[in-house]
Amino acid sequence: MNERIGVIADDVTGACDVAAELREIGLTVDVLLGVPAQEDLPDDGGAVVIGLRTRTAPRAVAVDDSLAAAEWLRRRGITRWYQKYCSTFDSTPEGMIGPVAEALMAAGGFATSVGTPCTPHADRTVYRGHLFVGDRLVSESSLAHHPLTPMTDPDLVRVLGRQTTLPVGLVRHRDVRAGPPALAAAIRTASAPHLLVDALDERDLDSIAIAVEALDPCLVGGGAGLITALARRAGPGGGTSDPVEAHQGGRRLILVGSASERTRAQVARGGPVTATVDAVAAAADGGGEVARALALLEDFWMRHPDRPAVVSASHDLEALRLAQQALGVERAGAAVEDALAAIALGSVERLGARHLLIAGGETSGAVTRALGIERLRLTRRVDAGVAWGIGAAGAVAGGPRLHVLLKSGNFGGEDLFLRAWEAAAT
């Protein structure tokens, strides 16, 4: 497979998850944040990953943005598209994975979509159409209680079936383990245009990748696992990684919007917290809450110029629960995102922050949009699905170059907030 790959991801941390793994296998990777503008695309043979904000968007917005991204890729000669959705297969209650898949199938002239959210590096597997997180069904994991996208049904065929007008089928694990030719035959003879595929490990994903290449062109989708398996087959023609640029100077800032168990553990290991953001206070007086946090950051960096500061909006679960009760889940989330985005902008403009580690998909999208970062070139992988990138802050005078790490809430080791800076310095 020597065609250039175009990935359409439903959020920016998902885009960076894919990009981190593609860079690890030696590809040059550009992450474009939001529906791309009309800039030129480097002809370096690498992968292009477009990170949208469609995971929690209304269906119509998700479809329109995904089609715009696909058209941008098509105009640049990239017709091999990958629909990247979260490895937990979650979205809004009405669902956007199915509608986006239908729209991309129609736009690309594909009769079939084939996908799996299996992502071994995140411990996500699919068996008999049911999604597991570690050794538990997703509905029995902490992800069943996600404040924005709770995943309470582990049966992916049933979940996708509620989102699409087209039939949904399952390719079982026995067909995957029968080998690529048998798997390709099982996909060809399946009666449903949407096909979800069981997968447990990298071996299964490699078999799916080989089988998909033997089929007529179809829309392929899923988590970071399957696209990485496809890219592994690119060989020398798939692009080569560019030199790593070491971080130089500037303040270091960690912004935490995720309330996941893993992120809270990372805050506990990498703290202490310099400033907090209260959703109720931010909703009532966003400017005041932002000014308070910036004053705390300025004082912290005056005393500890070489230490990373931590601003958290969600490590206190009880405070988060009370805020959601008072404001509603959506309004509380929006107040936090807006405040953290404004703090990031103020830190870059006024306090000299040049290295930002951002935890949480919605927070990452809000912060990068506020800073006017439209593109990241991945530099160094820190953990599975987690990597540093370089981008220009277009919303700040002079467009300073920033080193940015965007991470999904559940990704990274518990010591990530400590190790990330070590990786940046090498």
Side-chain angles (χ1 to χ4, degrees):
M1 182 195 74
N2 291 319
E3 288 182 83
R4 198 168 189 184
I5 304 167
V7 180
I8 301 171
D10 62 3
D11 69 1
V12 298
T13 52
C16 288
D17 174 18
V18 168
E21 297 312 294
L22 295 183
R23 196 189 189 292
E24 183 69 3
I25 63 174
L27 295 182
T28 297
V29 188
D30 283 292
V31 180
L32 307 179
L33 304 179
V35 176
Q38 295 303 311
E39 75 264 12
D40 292 331
L41 188 64
D43 186 19
D44 55 15
V48 181
V49 184
I50 300 175
L52 302 175
R53 295 188 70 195
T54 55
R55 183 175 169 195
T56 57
R59 281 188 176 193
V61 173
V63 168
D64 287 349
D65 285 359
S66 299
L67 287 175
E71 180 59 22
W72 188 91
L73 291 168
R74 190 206 306 273
R75 288 180 179 176
R76 283 148 185 81
I78 301 173
T79 56
R80 188 182 184 91
W81 305 334
Y82 187 87
Q83 180 192 3
K84 198 294 181 177
Y85 42 78
C86 185
S87 61
T88 49
F89 209 76
D90 58 5
S91 61
T92 58
E94 65 174 350
M96 48 67 63
I97 297 173
V100 167
E102 283 189 41
L104 292 178
M105 288 167 67
F110 306 123
T112 308
S113 75
V114 179
T116 179
C118 173
T119 306
H121 72 246
D123 214 7
R124 314 285 199 261
T125 56
V126 183
Y127 184 69
R128 294 192 175 235
H130 286 65
L131 179 61
F132 288 81
V133 176
D135 59 358
R136 305 185 72 83
L137 290 167
V138 66
S139 55
E140 297 175 0
S141 74
S142 62
L143 297 166
H145 309 292
H146 191 286
L148 295 178
T149 56
M151 191 60 179
T152 58
D153 188 348
D155 187 331
L156 301 188
V157 173
R158 189 162 56 206
V159 171
L160 187 59
R162 291 195 290 262
Q163 301 180 11
T164 177
T165 61
L166 301 175
V168 180
L170 174 67
V171 180
R172 293 186 180 271
H173 192 246
R174 61 172 176 263
D175 293 315
V176 176
R177 283 295 167 94
L183 175 56
I187 293 172
R188 277 195 200 95
T189 56
S191 57
H194 285 308
L195 293 175
L196 293 166
V197 187
D198 282 348
L200 301 181
D201 52 26
E202 301 288 355
R203 170 186 168 188
D204 291 342
L205 293 172
D206 285 334
S207 291
I208 297 168
I210 296 169
V212 165
E213 288 187 349
L215 299 170
D216 292 332
C218 60
L219 176 67
V220 185
L226 181 53
I227 182 61
T228 306
L230 286 164
R232 275 197 294 268
R233 298 180 54 74
T240 56
S241 60
D242 50 329
V244 172
E245 178 179 326
H247 292 208
Q248 301 293 330
R251 302 283 167 75
R252 296 180 289 171
L253 176 62
I254 299 172
L255 294 165
V256 180
S258 169
S260 72
E261 284 184 39
R262 178 56 55 87
T263 296
R264 285 186 283 113
Q266 289 163 346
V267 172
R269 288 282 300 275
V273 174
T274 310
T276 60
V277 172
D278 179 81
V280 175
D285 180 15
E289 191 73 351
V290 170
R292 182 186 65 81
L294 288 173
L296 289 170
L297 286 173
E298 184 173 23
D299 177 70
F300 176 83
W301 279 323
M302 286 289 290
R303 293 180 290 111
H304 309 289
D306 297 326
R307 285 174 52 184
V310 181
V311 179
S312 176
S314 54
H315 69 289
D316 185 335
L317 288 183
E318 180 61 17
L320 182 62
R321 183 184 66 80
L322 292 174
Q324 290 174 343
Q325 284 183 346
L327 302 172
V329 172
E330 290 188 10
R331 189 179 172 207
V336 164
E337 291 161 24
D338 291 346
L340 288 174
I343 291 166
L345 183 59
S347 297
V348 171
E349 280 185 322
R350 292 166 36 196
L351 304 179
R354 293 294 181 266
H355 314 294
L356 279 69
L357 191 164
I358 307 167
E362 297 303 309
T363 302
S364 294
V367 168
T368 52
R369 185 167 62 179
L371 289 169
I373 300 174
E374 297 181 350
R375 179 173 173 178
L376 289 174
R377 172 60 63 101
L378 269 283
T379 57
R380 186 178 295 280
R381 181 177 181 265
V382 181
D383 263 338
V386 181
W388 284 105
I390 299 175
V396 179
R401 285 162 63 80
L402 303 179
H403 294 264
V404 181
L405 187 154
L406 310 176
K407 85 161 204 85
S408 176
N410 290 293
F411 279 24
E414 290 189 2
D415 60 348
L416 176 70
F417 288 4
L418 301 173
R419 288 189 299 104
W421 311 109
E422 297 170 5
T426 58

